[in-house]
Amino acid sequence: MLARKSIIPEEFGLPGLVSRMPRKPVFRDRVNKARFIAKNGSCNLAHKNIREQGRFLQDVFTTLVDLKWRFTLVIFTTTFVSSWLLFAMSWWLVAFAHGDLDLDSEPQNRTHCVTDVKSFTSAFLFSIEVQVTIGFGGRMITEQCPAAITVLILQNIVGLIINAIMLGCIFMKTAQSNRRAETLIFSRHAVIAVRNNNLCFMIRIGDLRKSMIIGATVRLQVVRKTTTPEGEVIPIHQIDVPTESAVSSNSLFLLAPLIICHVIDKHSPLYDLSAMELQCSDLEVIVILEGVVETTGITTQARTSYVAEEIQWGHRFVPIVTEEEGVYSVDYSKFGNTMKVETPVCSAKELDEKPSILIQTLQKSELSHQNSLRKRNSMRRNNSMRKVAGGSGSLRRNNSGLVVPKVQFFTPGDGVQNLNAVT
């Protein structure tokens, strides 16, 4: 059975009309990819198939410092117990070779190498006393055995080495630079707005401690996947991004929270990106803050990153530093707060090619600023008028309470014809 043809021609049907309608460019959602640097500063990188594991043993101290605390404590306990057992065996062999363990055939006036060492348990206790210098007084070495004196010297040297390594390892783990980085904070979002007639990428950094970071420097890097003209794919291509600074050495005086600004010019990797293209890109901006801790003199480093979803186009950070009673006050509750401002949605490249766009944007921004000032002034004027009206009303109410009521007098015979009002 043949299908019946439609009365309406196919080119005028709904599918035909839809196919001929102009379509807007569709931007696909960016595929979620792994971050190179997490928000807390940890590197999201896994090392696999390392065949030369012996390289880690060549630097034992750094390996111990990099280990987690539970593994460090297990190694700490195992090392001490193993050394005690090893030298307990040595003391037991010394006593066995000297004949101190033969209690039945032992003469009464015989001098032992170590007094009261009659079993492996007593040798183990004496080993602990020697290495940790407890010295209970019940067991002690005599001058009868040169081998015992040699073992005593060796155990003291080995014990000092173990103590030095373990104490140094624990000190370095507790004084690691990343501990100081916990009080160095970054804004959760980055912003892009017009600043000094230029399109700028901005972030905010701050230090919660009163002890300063000496010689603090900030570096920005853009990490993204690129392909060279030769066809080589670079999965993690790091591009340095310059930042504005008050001094030529790029050193920051991090006394109060600062806004780090990067001008998006022709040398910037963000030069060709518009607001829509930025949301669809797979770039990641890494921020690295380095400096020397004032109290300890140890170099510290704090890191974070911003992906496309964490960059707000057309926003600006709100001010958080105010002067109160001769003291500058910082409100950290508004540290990451932003506000919308007039910003062109085109790329910095288009702004350079068409300066009129930036001029129009600045004019709109000036008009909006004037309107906001007018609204603010009108609100203040209305509030003041309400206060004045409220004050006059209350004065009238107060005066009305003081008015003497009118008294009417009626003359006899005239009735109500003669009426006098006396106040």
Side-chain angles (χ1 to χ4, degrees):
M1 185 176 181
L2 295 177
R4 186 174 55 184
K5 292 185 179 181
S6 176
I7 301 176
I8 302 176
E10 294 182 358
E11 59 270 16
F12 295 101
L14 184 60
L17 293 176
V18 171
S19 61
R20 289 185 295 173
M21 290 178 62
R23 296 183 180 181
K24 296 182 179 180
V26 179
F27 295 92
R28 297 181 179 179
D29 295 336
R30 190 178 67 89
V31 180
N32 294 329
K33 72 181 208 54
R35 304 175 71 109
F36 186 59
I37 299 293
K39 295 297 290 183
N40 59 358
S42 60
C43 297
N44 190 18
L45 187 66
H47 299 275
K48 297 181 179 180
N49 300 327
I50 300 178
R51 299 180 180 179
E52 299 180 359
Q53 298 288 344
R55 293 182 178 270
F56 296 98
L57 298 178
Q58 295 177 3
D59 189 7
V60 179
F61 185 76
T62 306
T63 303
L64 291 176
V65 173
D66 291 340
L67 290 176
K68 295 183 179 180
W69 270 107
R70 55 178 178 266
F71 299 119
T72 302
L73 295 177
V74 169
I75 294 174
F76 182 86
T77 306
T78 304
T79 303
F80 273 102
V81 173
S82 301
S83 64
W84 295 339
L85 290 173
L86 176 63
F87 284 100
M89 180 63 67
S90 301
W91 290 117
W92 185 85
L93 292 175
V94 168
F96 178 78
H98 193 257
D100 297 341
L101 302 180
D102 298 334
L103 301 179
D104 297 335
S105 60
E106 179 182 2
Q108 296 181 355
N109 297 330
R110 184 178 179 181
T111 303
H112 295 183
C113 287
V114 182
T115 57
D116 292 338
V117 175
K118 302 175 181 179
S119 62
F120 182 78
T121 303
S122 59
F124 179 73
L125 294 176
F126 181 71
S127 175
I128 298 176
E129 294 175 10
V130 170
Q131 188 161 337
V132 299
T133 64
I134 295 176
F136 291 114
R139 302 175 184 86
M140 62 180 178
I141 191 173
T142 62
E143 57 187 13
Q144 296 295 324
C145 300
I149 299 174
T150 305
V151 174
L152 179 65
I153 295 173
L154 290 176
Q155 186 171 5
N156 286 329
I157 294 174
V158 172
L160 290 174
I161 293 174
I162 294 175
N163 288 334
I165 294 175
M166 292 302 171
L167 289 177
C169 178
I170 292 177
F171 173 76
M172 292 301 297
K173 287 184 69 66
T174 53
Q176 282 183 343
S177 60
N178 55 0
R179 306 301 178 188
R180 179 62 175 88
E182 295 294 334
T183 53
L184 298 174
I185 57 176
F186 302 87
S187 59
R188 184 163 185 83
H189 294 88
V191 297
I192 293 179
V194 177
R195 192 179 196 185
N196 296 329
N197 298 328
N198 291 314
L199 197 64
C200 299
F201 173 89
M202 293 173 285
I203 63 169
R204 177 179 277 169
I205 61 175
D207 188 3
L208 300 179
R209 290 187 182 273
K210 291 185 177 180
S211 59
M212 296 179 55
I213 300 295
I214 302 174
T217 58
V218 175
R219 293 187 293 115
L220 298 183
Q221 286 187 346
V222 173
V223 177
R224 62 184 178 185
K225 182 179 180 181
T226 59
T227 303
T228 62
E230 295 79 14
E232 180 185 2
V233 178
I234 303 177
I236 304 176
H237 187 201
Q238 301 181 16
I239 306 172
D240 290 332
V241 177
T243 59
E244 285 186 346
S245 179
V247 292
S248 59
S249 61
N250 200 26
S251 182
L252 302 176
F253 187 56
L254 195 58
L255 181 62
L258 299 176
I259 296 178
I260 306 301
C261 178
H262 160 64
V263 179
I264 305 177
D265 53 9
K266 60 181 180 180
H267 302 291
S268 173
L270 307 177
Y271 186 63
D272 298 331
L273 295 179
S274 62
M276 186 64 68
E277 293 172 349
L278 178 64
Q279 297 299 321
C280 302
S281 63
D282 58 349
L283 62 85
E284 179 179 355
V285 182
I286 299 176
V287 184
I288 304 173
L289 173 62
E290 294 180 337
V292 179
V293 183
E294 184 180 19
T295 55
T296 61
I298 300 175
T299 303
T300 185
Q301 184 183 95
R303 301 177 297 267
T304 190
S305 68
Y306 300 93
V307 294
E309 290 82 359
E310 297 169 348
I311 301 175
Q312 297 179 346
W313 192 290
H315 285 72
R316 182 186 300 165
F317 290 107
V318 299
I320 60 175
V321 181
T322 57
E323 186 177 356
E324 299 177 358
E325 298 179 358
V327 178
Y328 289 99
S329 176
V330 181
D331 187 4
Y332 282 99
S333 63
K334 302 177 182 179
F335 183 81
N337 293 359
T338 61
M339 60 181 178
K340 289 185 178 181
V341 292
E342 292 291 338
T343 305
V345 296
C346 61
S347 63
K349 182 179 180 180
E350 295 179 5
L351 288 179
D352 292 342
E353 296 175 353
K354 300 178 181 179
S356 59
I357 299 178
L358 182 59
I359 296 175
Q360 294 175 2
T361 304
L362 295 177
Q363 291 177 354
K364 291 181 181 179
S365 178
E366 183 66 23
L367 290 175
S368 62
H369 180 66
Q370 292 178 358
N371 293 332
S372 63
L373 289 178
R374 292 173 183 173
K375 290 181 180 179
R376 202 174 298 171
N377 294 332
S378 62
M379 290 178 63
R380 290 178 181 176
R381 193 180 300 109
N382 293 334
N383 292 334
S384 62
M385 293 177 63
R386 289 175 183 175
K387 289 182 180 179
V388 172
S392 61
S394 61
L395 182 60
R396 290 176 182 175
R397 286 193 297 269
N398 294 334
N399 294 334
S400 63
L402 298 176
V403 174
V404 179
K406 294 181 179 180
V407 181
Q408 296 178 351
F409 296 94
F410 300 92
T411 58
D414 293 337
V416 294
Q417 295 177 0
N418 296 326
L419 181 63
N420 295 323
V422 180
T423 303

